[in-house]
Amino acid sequence: MIRHAILGLALVTAAGAIAASPQHAQVNDAAILDPGLPRQLADFGFFADAPAQVPAARVTPYRLNTPLWSDGAEKLRFVYIPDGKQAHADGENLLDLPVGAALIKTFAFEKDGKRQLVETRVLLHRADGWLALPYLWNNAQTEARLAVAGARVPVTTPAGEQIDYRVPNKNQCKECHGLNGQVTPIGPKARNLSTAWLTRFHDAGLLDKVPQVSDPVPLWEDRAVVSAEAAARGYLEANCAHCHRPGATASNSGLDLRWEQTDPLSIGIYKHPVAAGRGAGDLLYDIVPGRPDQSILVHRMASTEPGVAMPELGRQTVDEAGLEAVERWIATMPKMDERAPAP
Amino acid sequence: MRMTCMTALALCAASPAYAATHEVAAGDGAAERLQEALIMSEPGDEVVLGPGRFELEDGLSLDVDGVTVRGAGMNATVLDFTGQKGAGEGLLVTSDNVTLRDFAIENPQGDGIKSKDADGIVYQRVRVTWTDGPKSTNGAYGIYPVESTGVLIEGCEVSGASDAGIYVGQSEKITVRNSIARENVAGIEIENSRDAIVERNLATGNTGGILVFDLPNLPKMGGGNVVVRENLVSSNTTANFAPKGNIVGGVPRGTGIMVMANEKVWVANNMIADNPTAGIVVVTYTKPFDDPRYNPYPRDVVIGPNLAHGNGKDPDLPGIAPVVQAFGGKLPTLLWDGLTQDANTPALYAAAGTPGWSLNLTKQGQSVADANPGPLNVPSADNPVDMGDIGAPASLEARLAT
């Protein structure tokens, strides 16, 4: 309980930054809206102090209840709403952000006891749709430059693993952010944001109304106290469902891992793989109730081999906590009679 | 406002005239230069790969419509993914009207080239090879268009795929022609797709040569209207090396052409030789399913005249030895499981004189152990049923280089 209270305080503090942003720094709306690819992150003016990640006016930090894991990177998330505009709530779903809005996410690891910024990804809402661009920080941490082809950067993860961290290229952004052929945000769904934050965002005039969320994704830090199912489904929602849903990159698999999906087969229970190839690892079903060791979902989460590892992009290492949450959920499912095996 | 629109239209119409060529040579920094060219290209542009070996650690991707990527030849320009560290495929294409030509992909860790929701794609003289031969640790699919309308695969070559060499899934208007599929689990596979022509290909040394499948629980269902003609399907003798969870893991070693749960398939004028299980197999989906959209039965499959020789000598089917003996040491060309949807919907027709046999199963999902094998007895037909306009559109044929 005490831990929760502290977490709650931390959230309030983060939300408090809405009001505390230095007002002198202004975002460059033209850089967001005009055609072209700004070469430097600084061109946007998203930060009053970019190396310190202090946001400019109308740039609001947020967190997700359950976030997407990327080799344990610390992630600093911000949403920018231009002057005179508002985000619109769409029930429990993705916030509808106006043209001119931007989402900014910085990935950082610790190096020599200090935070090392590696990349800042921006999603820009232009008149012709969303554009995703990756910016790579220099070693001196003074500037971040556009890296359309991506990059690899040696980092040490919080788990102590030394990896060639992959900064995705511009196209790879779309692999996760593509929906029905269009680039789209994936993180800020109302169900994966706290009511406190949504309320403050609304109170600051940046959101038209506070959406009513009947079934929020739980806080990842609460995974041991919420049900195994809620923890795991929240994890799959945040880490997998942007691809594994109709209209997205992995739609042809027929696997739909969205939080709101309730059909057992669609979420993988006794579902045969379709195009998994060797990723299936000699297993027959995505999920075998009661048998995490027999479930392809677990096998692919536990692998780091390209061609086997899921997600395909955005990780070089295994998310042990996420894996454990999914294993625990599958283990709690009542075992069913084995289906007829392949002939 | 109207003027703005007009100007924009004029610019669009004019853009092909300014199509640019982005030349990328092998050597230092090639991976980054190549990926950057793929990203910065505009519709109508060409990305031209020089000869040599491009060492790639990450998957490449193309998301610009109308781009041509061409190399100096499928043996001269090699994109080498032996050291690949990330991504699920060598090259991913997600834009329309792309042409891929004259280059090779070697040893991708996952799939070779995947094109998804990429309408109007042409693959010409593209090679995907896993250089160590058939191994279960090889990637799954070599050439892998999925969820697309308009697919033309011409003069390509894939070997070593641990699932299917050329795999067209959940697509329509497809032609696979003059291509070679060697030492894959499935040589060429048309799955949950419609209006496809598979012609003049060589499928050899695979577990199964050419497969036409429809599977349940996929976004796009209802495979059918498929012509398989004038192919050479021989010596598909490689033991099945697919990870067993995959549907092709159930394909018996030595299958020539296999049709499962499709409607209107025409298999004719193929040369089918030395496939140890069977020259041609027509079957119902075998597993339990609960997808109301799915029809597990073959319907209106026509086996026209084919040249068949030396098939069925060593079938990879449990408990089959006595049956082989009963047929005199060699099974007939055509194997049917005996299942039909109903009395009004014939599963299968066969040209007069086609030697065949039936497992005489009585219901979907029944085990082969319950078979009551006997001679084939199906209606005769020498001609295909009307399938309308099938195959890749003419506009794709027009993009083929000579």
Side-chain angles (χ1 to χ4, degrees), chain A residues 148-149 152 164 166 169-171 174-175 248-249 251-252 265 272-275 277-278 280 282-283 306 312 343, chain B residues 35-36 39 58 61 63 84-85 88 92 109 116 137-138 140-141 144 147 170 217-219 243-246 287:
Chain A
V148 288
R152 282 193 177 270
D164 267 349
R166 173 69 189 165
N169 69 48
K170 176 174 169 286
N171 285 352
K174 192 177 171 185
E175 286 186 44
T249 296
S251 61
N252 57 301
L265 190 70
H272 286 289
V274 177
R278 70 191 187 99
D282 278 346
L283 302 173
E312 288 181 343
Chain B
Q35 183 58 64
E36 220 167 282
I39 289 171
D58 286 294
S61 55
D63 189 39
Q84 188 176 3
K85 292 178 179 171
L92 176 67
Q109 304 300 301
K116 179 168 185 288
T137 49
N138 291 347
Y141 304 108
Y144 177 18
E147 291 189 355
Q170 303 179 52
N217 302 118
L218 291 178
K244 74 181 174 190
N246 294 275
K287 296 177 179 171

